[in-house]
């Protein structure tokens, strides 16, 4: 970060982490204390080694043990224990460039056990499957791969902050408890106090004076705030009580949503989201490059043991960073391409105008056909929610709306967005057409009567982005404690 | 921000905001278009003025109208409407340094109505009480004061990000839906799907396979993650179904929580939180100063119309930034001071060791007595939760725990934190003493059996900090859509 105030504010309060020690190494031959978990132990006749990890980086600090017999006499050291060690900091010929030498015979050196482990401590150096690790919710982030993913997630969030700040957005905190949830389609969670008042049938006796749910999307509240603050974004939990357990779904997930005023065309939204994703991807690639060249610190890539994973990561980054702008096609063009190219000469699987584009179509389009992220715009109105306005080149025979999905190779949909109908009469007419409860949506509609301005926005499941850029197949591995049907482990 | 990639990534996608126009003004006499809401209108015989605001800053852009009779003929312009205007950008002698000249007789100039308002548009230029504005949840952020508070909030969050990043913390996303909520004291919200399965009495028929609640604090999950990642923090919603409606409480609020491994003393936590708050306060003061000197842009202060508010803001900032470190006293010393100084010579109100320190005591200590933020450490064990370990100088006659509260003048408690008992046997013994369900907490306790390390942490209600540094009396005015008993307006 290079924050100017750092030294003044926080100096000497916390001991340096292992990452900090390796990045700003102490003087050769100075006495250094450090702490961490034992990743591995090797004991020979005259020398021993402990790899020590404190969670600050995927790298371990190598502890070189002199007189191992005497050193290991006091305690039985095991993988997983936390220890504290004080010894001589020394430049090294090894891969790590530095090591800490502990010798029980030397003055001022010390090695002590902080926290023991059970005999069956399950996190071992050998590579364990992610599926098995999911059964160890409190320990799985001790593995290099899953710790690195959480650090990667934190870095991505930070870069998103930078991006939106540089584009004059205000980060806002919309409510998670809501009373109207028109987009929930019955798949909301209900919220009520554990200790209910006695007479619970009357609305006014409810805690909030009405029925309340967990939000499925903060969009409607963001729209309200955008009409006051111009450009707003948020990264908040959203909730879906959908009873499906897939690699791509969570019951509680984090959604990045943005609303932008004073735009007039869905192409501004696609250009903006492309800029956003390119910014974040460049940031992670530059970090990987710059740190690699100065000392092999690339957390995400080095924490992966599968060559295919690493290829996948770097391929995805380069695909996103292609020299050419990402293609944009309309829904109608997409259907046409699928029929003419994918289903060439076949009647089976042929799509009619109005059909949904399925995930495997999306993967084919972005993957085999374009080999690039692709924006699909102007979907049929019947496929999309009530708040989307008609397309610019609206055709009443085939009514479409001003919206887009971003689909990416290997995954399918990553972002969905649209212009929002900002004209009161048009919006109410559409809601009536859909038999929606106008009165319940009064608060939302009121913005259309009070200096309404054209605006649009989008939403992106943050875990999907992390899965994608980090090449993790299962979304449950990029959030610390996943929630899904029958899954709420601690 | 000065992000290096900005120009490449997002140039020309979005029109500049009014803030951007004023910060990087176009050339004198160039034609410029802009959009926004009408804040005020004045019409004279030969000239008219519209103050235009787009929510990007508290400042309005002054639109100077030539030939007002002809200009105002087409539409009846009113406060609150959104308009689009194209005219001549001109340096000005006025307070704003720039203005936009619109003349209907000039080629290339235009003025048009985008969104109308109802006759009763309630946001008027005259100062309205915050209490009244709370009845207008979708419009109140059009006022300078409440828009500035949300921008201030966004800025503070960004500075918190910078601080924790520079201190090697990982930002994590703990779950909001939890199954064990030992700290909830019965004041949790229950979560269940709106569409319940038919047989809902069996645990395995529940959506998550167990009863679930909204979290009241993410601390326990953060502790687990810290033991893998070393230093973690989060800023997430927390929920309390407490049936009290005060200036200081919300049912849904954002909590900043952090857990730090490898620390041994509560004084490291107090020093760290002091550094954190000083960093954020310096950042906002420097922003106010630097922007003021280059063009009067200090959003927060200039958006306040009450002189006392402004004094309050600057006083609070200087109190926090005092040259001397903030005092630290123990609970026992605090009781002593209250009895000897505040209650001098009186028996009434005298505190006995073990009594709670009430909010008015806290306000007196931090306000009249110290005129500084004050750390109170080592409270009686009986006043605090199960996970706090004994104080360093533990006295079995008066058992205290290694914890702290930070209290600030005019508000009372702002932060609470402690070391966490990291030894399995001691923790289980304390839980048994309190008749807690050990089995339900198995997952949490398991970390104490697997390489446990000393650690501690703290929690701070984010809205409290914003209220404090922004001198807003009611916490409901620093969150966009407050949730409290009987309050869930949209």
């Amino acid at each position: 970060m290079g924050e100017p105030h750092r030294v003044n504010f926080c100096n000497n309060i916390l001991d340096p982490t292992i990452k900090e020690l390796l990045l700003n190494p102490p003087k050769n031959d100075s006495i250094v204390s450090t702490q961490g978990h034992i990743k591995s132990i090797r004991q020979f006749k005259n020398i021993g080694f402990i790899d020590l990890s404190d969670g600050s980086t995927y790298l371990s600090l190598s502890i070189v043990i002199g007189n191992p017999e005497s050193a290991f006499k006091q305690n039985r050291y095991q993988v997983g224990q936390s220890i504290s060690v004080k010894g001589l900091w020394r430049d090294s010929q090894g891969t790590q460039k530095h090591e800490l030498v502990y010798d029980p015979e030397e003055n001022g050196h010390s090695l002590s056990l902080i926290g023991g482990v059970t005999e069956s401590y399950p996190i071992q150096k050998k590579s364990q499957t992610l599926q098995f690790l999911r059964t160890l919710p409190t320990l799985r982030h001790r593995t290099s791969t899953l710790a690195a993913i959480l650090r990667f997630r934190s870095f991505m969030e930070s870069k998103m902050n930078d991006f939106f700040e540089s584009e004059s957005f205000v980060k806002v905190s919309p409510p998670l408890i809501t009373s109207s949830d028109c987009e929930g389609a019955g798949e909301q969670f209900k919220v009520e106090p554990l200790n209910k008042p006695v007479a619970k049938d009357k609305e006014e006796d409810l805690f909030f004076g009405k029925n309340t749910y967990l939000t499925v999307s903060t969009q409607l509240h963001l729209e309200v705030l955008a009409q006051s603050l111009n450009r707003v974004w948020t990264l908040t939990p959203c909730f879906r009580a959908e009873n499906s357990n897939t690699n791509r779904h969570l019951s509680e997930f984090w959604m990045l949503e943005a609303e932008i005023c004073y735009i007039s065309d869905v192409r501004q939204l696609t250009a903006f989201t492309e800029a956003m994703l390119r910014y974040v991807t460049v940031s992670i690639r530059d970090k990987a490059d710059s740190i690699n060249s100065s000392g092999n610190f690339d957390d995400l890539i080095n924490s992966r043991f599968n060559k295919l994973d690493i290829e996948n990561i770097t391929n995805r980054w380069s695909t996103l960073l292609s020299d050419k702008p990402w293609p944009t096609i309309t829904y109608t063009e997409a259907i046409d391409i699928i029929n003419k190219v994918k289903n060439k000469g076949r009647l089976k699987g042929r799509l009619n105008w109005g059909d949904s584009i399925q995930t495997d179509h999306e993967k084919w389009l972005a993957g085999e056909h374009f080999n690039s992220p692709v924006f699909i715009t102007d979907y049929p109105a019947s496929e999309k929610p009530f708040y989307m306005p008609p397309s610019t080149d609206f055709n009443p025979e085939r009514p479409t709306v001003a919206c887009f999905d971003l689909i990416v190779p290997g995954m399918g949909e990553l972002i969905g967005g649209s212009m929002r109908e900002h004209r009161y009469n048009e919006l109410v007419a559409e809601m009536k057409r859909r038999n929606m409860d106008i009165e319940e949506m009064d608060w939302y509609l009121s913005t259309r009567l009070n200096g309404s301005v054209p605006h649009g926005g989008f939403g992106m499941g943050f875990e999907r982005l992390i899965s994608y850029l980090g090449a993790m197949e299962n979304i449950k591995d990029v959030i610390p404690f996943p929630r899904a049907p029958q899954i709420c482990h601690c």
Side-chain angles (χ1 to χ4, degrees), chain A:
Chain A
M1 280 299 305
E3 280 299 311
H5 298 300
R6 172 153 190 212
V7 174
N8 301 336
F9 282 101
C10 246
N11 213 13
N12 295 328
I13 297 174
L14 307 178
D15 293 335
T17 63
I18 288 178
K19 181 177 179 179
E20 288 168 343
L21 284 175
L22 292 172
L23 278 176
N24 304 300
K27 262 190 249 163
N28 204 18
D29 288 335
S30 56
I31 292 288
V32 166
S33 318
T34 191
Q35 297 169 307
H37 288 108
I38 298 177
K39 277 273 194 181
S40 71
I41 310 182
R42 282 149 297 154
Q43 188 181 344
F44 304 100
K45 197 170 175 350
N46 297 315
I47 198 165
F49 299 95
I50 287 178
D51 286 337
L52 193 69
S53 163
D54 73 350
S56 60
T57 159
Y58 84 96
L59 288 176
S60 300
L61 178 63
S62 184
I63 314 290
V64 181
I65 318 258
N67 292 305
E69 218 166 291
S70 142
F72 289 142
K73 201 168 56 190
Q74 215 175 347
N75 284 298
R76 210 188 121 231
Y77 290 97
Q78 273 176 272
V79 168
Q81 289 171 335
S82 60
I83 58 170
S84 159
V85 54
K86 195 170 173 185
L88 202 69
W89 184 269
R90 214 170 57 178
D91 294 347
S92 140
Q93 308 305 319
T95 44
Q96 240 63 298
K97 294 188 182 160
H98 306 282
E99 61 196 18
L100 194 64
V101 180
Y102 163 74
D103 189 328
E105 316 284 304
E106 294 284 340
N107 262 340
H109 288 207
S110 66
L111 174 67
S112 54
L113 181 64
I114 308 176
V117 290
T118 54
E119 281 302 318
S120 59
Y121 182 73
I123 306 289
Q124 299 296 333
K125 214 190 163 162
K126 65 180 173 358
S127 180
Q128 288 158 318
T129 67
L130 294 170
Q131 194 175 6
F132 170 70
L133 291 172
R134 257 170 255 142
T135 66
L136 306 168
T138 62
L139 290 175
R140 64 178 185 150
H141 296 106
R142 298 259 179 99
T143 62
S144 308
T145 306
L146 290 176
I149 276 288
L150 290 192
R151 289 189 296 263
F152 180 64
R153 179 181 178 130
S154 177
F155 181 77
M156 296 224 315
E157 184 174 340
S158 162
K159 289 296 139 190
M160 284 292 179
N161 273 302
D162 290 351
F163 177 77
F164 281 102
E165 200 166 290
S166 76
E167 298 302 325
S168 305
F169 278 70
V170 180
K171 190 172 185 201
V172 293
S173 305
L176 303 198
I177 296 177
T178 64
S179 57
S180 63
D181 241 342
C182 55
E183 279 206 275
E187 288 181 335
Q188 305 103 304
F189 289 102
K190 206 174 161 161
V191 176
E192 50 191 0
L194 181 57
N195 298 321
K196 290 178 215 172
V198 185
K200 59 164 182 168
D201 291 338
K202 283 187 283 179
E203 282 241 316
E204 58 270 35
D205 289 335
L206 293 172
F207 186 86
F208 290 113
K210 49 181 89 165
N211 287 314
T212 46
Y213 316 95
L214 290 178
T215 193
V216 297
S217 154
T218 67
Q219 177 198 320
L220 305 187
H221 290 95
L222 286 193
E223 282 189 62
V224 169
L225 292 173
Q227 306 250 351
S228 290
L229 296 166
N230 205 331
R231 299 177 188 171
V232 297
W233 77 292
T234 193
L235 181 59
T236 47
C238 288
F239 305 86
R240 305 257 165 106
E242 213 174 330
N243 209 344
S244 68
N245 222 324
T246 79
N247 271 358
R248 292 156 39 103
H249 291 90
L250 293 166
S251 304
E252 173 180 337
F253 60 101
W254 287 69
M255 182 116 94
L256 191 157
E257 293 180 279
E259 287 293 323
I260 312 175
C261 283
Y262 307 112
I263 58 174
S264 51
D265 193 301
V266 79
R267 295 299 285 260
Q268 287 174 282
L269 289 172
T270 58
F272 183 84
T273 53
E274 178 170 345
M276 173 184 84
L277 291 180
R278 281 181 181 265
Y279 176 85
V280 170
T281 311
V282 161
S283 303
I284 56 182
R285 192 204 51 191
D286 285 358
K287 179 174 183 253
D289 285 353
S290 70
I291 293 175
N292 266 334
S293 64
S294 76
N296 195 33
F297 247 110
D298 181 37
D299 225 35
L300 184 80
I301 290 176
N302 281 299
S303 75
R304 300 294 265 277
F305 305 109
N306 183 331
K307 222 179 130 188
L308 266 177
D309 274 4
I310 297 174
E311 265 179 45
N312 223 340
I313 291 173
T314 48
N315 282 344
R316 286 181 175 183
W317 295 358
S318 0
T319 306
L320 255 64
L321 295 177
S322 73
D323 293 336
K324 284 179 291 186
W326 303 343
T328 301
I329 55 176
T330 63
Y331 163 87
T332 306
E333 289 165 340
I335 294 289
D336 218 42
I337 294 173
I338 293 165
N339 284 336
K340 287 201 179 134
V341 185
K342 187 168 192 288
N343 296 332
K344 190 180 174 186
R346 279 181 297 163
L347 275 173
K348 207 187 149 210
R350 214 184 143 72
L351 294 178
N352 293 312
W353 197 93
D355 288 349
S356 293
I357 299 178
Q358 304 296 330
T359 302
D360 55 328
H361 294 136
E362 293 174 342
K363 285 185 181 173
W364 175 83
L365 273 169
E368 281 165 80
H369 191 69
F370 283 107
N371 189 28
S372 168
V374 181
F375 291 106
I376 305 180
T377 66
D378 302 282
Y379 282 79
S382 58
E383 292 266 296
K384 295 289 177 182
F386 72 98
Y387 48 71
M388 297 189 180
S391 299
T392 315
D393 54 349
F394 186 75
N395 168 0
E397 309 273 301
R398 289 179 162 189
T400 56
V401 286
C403 68
F404 76 95
D405 279 3
L406 172 67
I407 60 175
V408 292
M411 172 175 268
E413 189 199 330
L414 179 60
I415 300 185
S418 80
M419 296 298 295
R420 320 303 191 188
E421 179 58 80
H422 74 287
R423 299 163 302 172
Y424 183 82
N425 292 337
E426 284 75 357
L427 187 56
V428 168
E430 183 61 26
M431 289 172 77
K432 283 188 177 152
R433 225 182 49 76
R434 293 178 187 233
N435 291 317
M436 290 176 64
D437 184 343
I438 310 277
E439 210 171 309
E440 199 213 332
M441 296 294 287
D442 233 17
W443 62 276
Y444 174 72
L445 289 169
S446 74
T447 58
R448 271 59 175 178
L449 292 173
N450 289 295
S452 184
V453 307
H455 63 285
F458 61 88
M460 172 178 70
F462 194 51
E463 283 81 14
R464 284 221 183 152
L465 179 65
I466 303 161
S467 295
Y468 186 68
L469 291 177
M472 295 297 277
E473 228 177 276
N474 194 321
I475 207 168
K476 296 188 183 76
D477 296 329
V478 306
I479 191 165
F481 299 94
R483 300 296 185 241
Q486 302 300 311
I487 295 176
C488 179
H489 290 321
C490 51

